[in-house]
Structure formats: C-alpha cells, structure tokens
Amino acid sequence: MTRKTPALALAAALLCGATPTLAEVSPLDLVQPVAEYKLYVSDKLETLVTDTKAFTDAIKAGDVARAKALFAPTRMSYEAVEPIAELFSDLDASIDSRADDHEKREEDEGFIGFHRLEYGLFAKNSTEGLAPFADRLMADVTDLEQRIADLALPPEKVVGGAAALMEEVAATKISGEEDRYSGTDLWDFRGNFDGSRKIFDLVQPLIETQDAPFVAKVNKSFGIVDTTLDKYREGDGYTHYEKLTDADRRVLAANVNTLAEDLSTLRGKLGLN
C-alpha cells in the first residue's frame, strides 16, 4: 500500500472536495471541550428555568407589560443552546414551534410554548387564557433541564451546533418569521450567535496550531457579525426587527452566511463527519 505524506493527503482531500482532518486531533482531545460545553449548557438552562418562572408568573398575574418585557431576554438562553435542546424533539416542538408548524396555525390546539404566549401578549395585547400555556411552558423547560442534566453530549452534535445556529439564522430567521408578533428577532440572533461563539472558542485551541489562517478567518467573521448586531442595540436590548430595512437584512444575511460557511467545515476538521 502506498502511504501518502501529510502534504499529499491534504491535496488528495482537497481534490476530492473533502474537509481535511487535523492530523493531531483525536477523540480524547474533545473530551475537555465537550465537558466545558456541558457546563455552559447547564448554566444556560438554569437561567432559562429561572427566567421562564418570572415570565410565566407575570402572565398568570395578568401583567402584560412585564410579560412583554421579559419575553425576549427569557428566550435568549434557549436560543443559545438550541442544537442540544433539539435532541429532544418533543420538547423542542412544545417549547418553540411556530404557528405555521400547525394545521390551524394560531387557532390550533397544538400551538403552545413561547410563540403561543408571544401571540397572546403582542398580537392580542392580553394575558387572557394564557395561564395554561404558561404552566405548560414552565413544565417543559424544567423537563428539558432535567433531561439534559443526565445526557452525555455527542461531540459531533456539539461541534456541529456552531454552524447549525448560524445556518438557522440565515435560512429561516432573517425573514422575521421567528418572532413575528413581537419583533424581537434580534434578541434571538444574539442568543444564537453567543451559543455558536462559545462552541468555537472551546475547540479553537485544537485547531489554531495547525490551521491558524482558518481560525483567523472565523474570528474575523464572528467579529463582523458581532459588530453588525451591535448596530441595532437599543437600551438593554435590540430594536424592533421591523425597523431594519431590506438593505440592513441583506447585509446581516450576507455576514451570517459567511460565518455559517466557515463553521460548516468545523466538524470535518475535527474528524467528526
């Protein structure tokens, strides 16, 4: 058997369209980053449970203004760890489905979770009839925290989550369909961005000694998206998404797409494809 040199192996991989795996990365190298990410997820879920309690308490108290103010910041923790939450498809559908995921849209009895509460608060400006949905959301996020506490995170899902978070923004969120009643989409984008950034930061040391140009390129892309999002800060949060022009959205989409493309090679570089 002819043995390829590292240079020839790299050339062959590139000619075949494959992402070359970094030679010195082994499964054991991923143990520490994945363990640290599990701590990050646990912290985010603890925050999610605490924030959801305050949010749902406001709804059940009939405090529309407070519930509206808490909606977007409460969701950020969920958005940051969404790839892990999606491992439990039943809970993800219950917590985060949109009206168009259901046959009767807003009137469908299966339409529950954050966006059903968003619809009541922002489209109807009322908490009437929302208490059962609030209780269900509280139960679901508590269940999610408990399930993930006992879960061994798959390294391929963790690393792949960096790209998945940005791809979801580019593919389905730039249009404004996620938080269509409240216009709080930019809060979600920030949660997605922060979750993606965390994953890359944890695996970056495994890559930078062998592929410094790639690391520099990804960090530059993260910086551009970060700066773009910061343009739309307003007070402690973000401006209403409808205030962004079509040109604003195109620039944001282009920057997010570039970052997602960079991150899409991450699993392959770490031998997880």
Side-chain angles (χ1 to χ4, degrees):
M1 178 181 293
T2 304
R3 189 177 299 276
K4 292 185 176 72
T5 66
L8 288 174
L10 173 62
L14 292 173
L15 287 171
C16 294
T19 301
T21 301
L22 300 175
E24 296 178 10
V25 175
S26 75
L28 289 177
D29 293 325
L30 290 163
V31 171
Q32 186 62 31
V34 170
E36 291 183 29
Y37 183 68
K38 178 69 180 290
L39 293 174
Y40 171 80
V41 171
S42 297
D43 286 344
K44 287 294 181 184
L45 291 175
E46 183 178 351
T47 300
L48 176 65
V49 169
T50 299
D51 290 351
T52 300
K53 180 69 165 57
F55 172 57
T56 55
D57 280 353
I59 289 172
K60 292 193 291 182
D63 192 338
V64 175
R66 178 164 171 74
K68 282 183 175 181
L70 292 175
F71 172 75
T74 297
R75 282 181 53 76
M76 286 183 72
S77 297
Y78 187 83
E79 292 294 327
V81 299
E82 196 167 14
I84 304 304
E86 288 174 348
L87 291 172
F88 300 101
S89 58
D90 60 327
L91 288 179
D92 182 55
S94 180
I95 292 169
D96 202 37
S97 68
R98 305 170 189 175
D100 41 327
D101 294 326
H102 303 278
E103 183 179 357
K104 298 179 181 178
R105 298 179 61 83
E106 285 86 357
E107 303 308 314
D108 199 298
E109 64 179 16
F111 178 43
I112 59 178
F114 273 118
H115 295 301
R116 177 62 182 86
L117 296 169
E118 178 198 10
Y119 172 64
L121 291 170
F122 292 90
K124 295 189 173 183
N125 197 38
S126 172
T127 60
E128 184 177 353
L130 296 185
F133 298 114
D135 286 338
R136 175 63 183 272
L137 177 64
M138 189 68 237
D140 285 340
V141 298
T142 302
D143 188 9
L144 180 66
E145 182 186 33
Q146 292 170 348
R147 290 196 205 181
I148 291 179
D150 298 326
L151 180 69
L153 300 186
E156 66 277 7
K157 188 68 175 179
V158 172
V159 174
L165 284 163
M166 292 295 93
E167 288 164 357
E168 184 177 1
V169 173
T172 67
K173 292 185 176 180
I174 289 289
S175 65
E177 65 189 72
E178 175 82 355
D179 299 310
R180 65 192 69 175
Y181 317 109
S182 62
T184 56
D185 303 80
L186 288 165
W187 295 75
D188 281 10
F189 295 179
R190 172 56 68 178
N192 293 151
F193 174 88
D194 289 348
S196 180
R197 172 92 250 190
K198 181 64 176 182
I199 294 167
F200 185 73
D201 285 348
L202 289 172
V203 300
Q204 177 175 320
L206 302 179
I207 303 171
E208 58 191 349
T209 57
Q210 299 185 64
D211 198 344
F214 171 77
V215 168
K217 186 171 186 290
V218 173
N219 279 323
K220 180 180 179 181
S221 293
F222 269 119
I224 290 170
V225 173
D226 192 24
T227 300
T228 305
L229 288 174
D230 278 347
K231 284 175 54 180
Y232 307 112
R233 281 197 175 275
E234 189 174 275
D236 293 331
Y238 291 88
T239 189
H240 194 289
Y241 196 58
E242 285 186 355
K243 292 184 180 179
L244 273 67
T245 66
D246 287 343
D248 289 331
R249 296 187 190 198
R250 284 195 295 271
V251 169
L252 182 56
N255 293 338
V256 169
N257 270 313
T258 298
L259 177 56
E261 288 170 7
D262 291 341
L263 293 171
S264 68
T265 65
L266 199 56
R267 287 202 338 173
K269 286 181 178 293
L270 295 170
L272 293 170
N273 279 344

